[in-house]
Amino acid sequence: LMACSPIDPVSKETITNIEIFSNKDFIGFPAGTNLTSLFKMNGSQNIDEYLAGKPKVQQYYEIPFSSNTNNAKPVSGEHQFTIFFTDSKNKVFEMNTTINFQ
């Protein structure tokens, strides 16, 4: 006998907002400032363009820092980032991560 696994459900919710904050300064952006404009979604699109496509809520995203954006550079040291995702039901998800910039 062969067993069939059900297909993972696809979320009906979309991501409506993303905000990114650091506990340390970026040149031109003091700690606690929304840094979303300094990051790219999945390595290529700015986050506003990405959100305009009404992306579905997923479990994994890659949001790398774009060092060419606004000439902003992080101060060296360990940054604690907080990332907030808001979905189309206005539910807010929070993720924390630490990155050491040298």
Side-chain angles (χ1 to χ4, degrees), residues 50-65:
Y50 183 77
L51 293 175
K54 299 188 182 219
K56 297 286 186 191
V57 173
Q58 297 177 348
Q59 294 181 342
Y60 175 80
Y61 291 98
E62 180 182 310
I63 309 175
F65 171 65

Side-chain angles (χ1 to χ4, degrees), residues 2-80:
M2 294 182 68
C4 294
S5 297
I7 297 172
D8 289 336
V10 175
S11 175
K12 295 178 184 176
E13 302 307 318
T14 59
I15 298 173
T16 58
N17 193 41
I18 298 173
E19 294 180 311
I20 303 170
F21 300 92
S22 174
N23 69 328
K24 290 198 174 179
D25 294 343
F26 277 63
I27 295 172
F29 295 83
T33 301
N34 186 348
L35 302 171
T36 304
S37 65
L38 305 181
F39 290 80
K40 299 286 185 182
M41 198 61 161
N42 297 321
S44 61
Q45 283 184 305
N46 75 44
I47 292 176
D48 288 338
E49 290 172 343
Y50 183 77
L51 293 175
K54 299 188 182 219
K56 297 286 186 191
V57 173
Q58 297 177 348
Q59 294 181 342
Y60 175 80
Y61 291 98
E62 180 182 310
I63 309 175
F65 171 65
S66 177
S67 60
N68 296 330
T69 306
N70 298 329
N71 294 320
K73 298 199 181 324
V75 297
S76 63
E78 192 171 278
H79 287 246
Q80 294 175 356

